[in-house]
Amino acid sequence: MDRIPILRMGSFLIVTIQVDMHDRLAMALQDDLTSKIAATEAKGVLIDISALEIVDSFIGRMLANISGMARILDAQTVVTGMQPAVAITLVELGLSLPGIRTALNVERGMELLRTSLAAAGEPDAEDDDAAFEA
Amino acid sequence: MRKMTMPLLKREVLPIRTETDVVMVRQAVRRLTIEQGFGLVDQTKLITAASEIARNALDYGGGGEAQLETHLEGGKKGVRLIFEDKGPGITDIAQAMTDGFTSGGGLGHGLGGAKRLVEHFEITSTPGVGTRVVLARWK
């Protein structure tokens, strides 16, 4: 079965969703991310959805689940790059994604994660040296 | 509500048997809304509504089919989608339409949310026979 790749960069995990996911693929991503947070002791998760043309209630629920599970595992999540048409549709659908932090793009999302981890006193929040030691 | 005697331009029928079929329905709806000249927000709304209803047909109705139609009515272009399954049906439609109600593992925004995303919404369901949902939007 296909999998959405998860990249590790220092204490962050980065996912960019580039395909129209069927439901099982979305569930697999949720499971993979949760295990990877635990395995790598990641402190931040960034999910870029700029290539997603729609977010329906299933994908919305997946994003909320990931964010909730990450929080329990002591990691923060930010969802980046949501297209305006997707945001308008989501709100009308009745999903305002409570509890999910968002940023306009990956750069701002990384900044948000770094700032909030630095504020939480994580020593390696600004440290990129540990990058790619997969 | 618009009358449903719209001049039909074209109809295609897609099966909804697997999760991949739900993705195929989304992509077909995207293509038809683009053909009909819908703007991006209108495209996104109809595709999202179609995704919710197609998933319901698969998850709760045990699969079914989607008829995708393009129409031209008095110079207005539209896309009309009919989803049918032969599942157990819905006994209380009013309850199923309520936000927050779900008999599955979802958030319960599917039916009510889909209705808000389209200009025409129709649901008929007979317990033991199946469910039929019609969605339409015009440019």
Side-chain angles (χ1 to χ4, degrees), chain A residues 52-75:
Chain A
L52 276 193
E53 292 177 330
I54 69 148
V55 172
D56 62 11
S57 62
F58 193 89
I59 304 294
R61 177 165 59 121
M62 176 207 71
L63 293 172
N65 285 351
I66 288 173
S67 179
M69 290 168 185
R71 195 176 307 121
I72 292 169
L73 294 169
D74 192 25

Side-chain angles (χ1 to χ4, degrees), chain B residues 50 54 57 69 123 135:
Chain B
E69 302 175 346
I123 179 165
L135 310 174

Side-chain angles (χ1 to χ4, degrees), chain A residues 20 49-57 82-93, chain B residues 25-27 29-34 37-52 79 81 113-114 116-118 135 137:
Chain A
D20 191 348
I49 59 164
S50 55
L52 276 193
E53 292 177 330
I54 69 148
V55 172
D56 62 11
S57 62
M82 184 184 293
Q83 294 179 15
V86 172
I88 291 167
T89 302
L90 256 184
V91 171
E92 215 157 303
L93 185 63
Chain B
V25 167
R26 288 202 289 256
Q27 289 171 358
V29 174
R30 158 86 58 195
R31 179 166 41 77
L32 294 178
T33 52
I34 290 171
F38 282 36
L40 188 57
V41 173
D42 289 343
Q43 288 173 31
T44 307
K45 285 181 178 177
L46 190 61
I47 298 162
T48 306
S51 182
E52 299 293 341
V79 176
L81 312 170
R116 284 193 293 275
L117 293 175
V118 296
L135 310 174
R137 271 194 84 92

Side-chain angles (χ1 to χ4, degrees), chain A residues 24-45:
Chain A
R24 249 177 315 120
L25 188 55
M27 290 310 291
L29 174 61
Q30 182 179 313
D31 294 347
D32 289 351
L33 252 181
T34 314
S35 335
K36 199 131 189 181
I37 291 167
T40 62
E41 299 179 16
K43 290 294 172 192
V45 176

Side-chain angles (χ1 to χ4, degrees), chain A:
Chain A
M1 192 177 87
D2 295 337
R3 281 290 212 270
I4 306 278
I6 301 170
L7 305 179
R8 181 180 176 196
M9 196 175 116
S11 52
F12 298 146
L13 297 179
I14 299 171
V15 175
T16 164
I17 304 173
Q18 301 278 353
V19 292
D20 191 348
M21 292 186 292
H22 57 71
D23 292 358
R24 249 177 315 120
L25 188 55
M27 290 310 291
L29 174 61
Q30 182 179 313
D31 294 347
D32 289 351
L33 252 181
T34 314
S35 335
K36 199 131 189 181
I37 291 167
T40 62
E41 299 179 16
K43 290 294 172 192
V45 176
L46 184 144
I47 304 171
D48 184 64
I49 59 164
S50 55
L52 276 193
E53 292 177 330
I54 69 148
V55 172
D56 62 11
S57 62
F58 193 89
I59 304 294
R61 177 165 59 121
M62 176 207 71
L63 293 172
N65 285 351
I66 288 173
S67 179
M69 290 168 185
R71 195 176 307 121
I72 292 169
L73 294 169
D74 192 25
Q76 311 200 18
T77 305
V78 61
V79 173
T80 65
M82 184 184 293
Q83 294 179 15
V86 172
I88 291 167
T89 302
L90 256 184
V91 171
E92 215 157 303
L93 185 63
L95 288 177
S96 51
L97 301 185
I100 296 184
R101 293 206 296 173
T102 56
L104 277 182
N105 54 43
V106 173
E107 201 171 347
R108 290 194 188 183
M110 288 300 283
E111 214 174 279
L112 184 65
L113 282 178
R114 288 207 175 95
T115 317
S116 65
L117 289 177
E122 286 296 337
D124 57 350
E126 301 282 343
D127 178 15
D128 280 340
D129 297 343
F132 304 115
E133 52 171 75

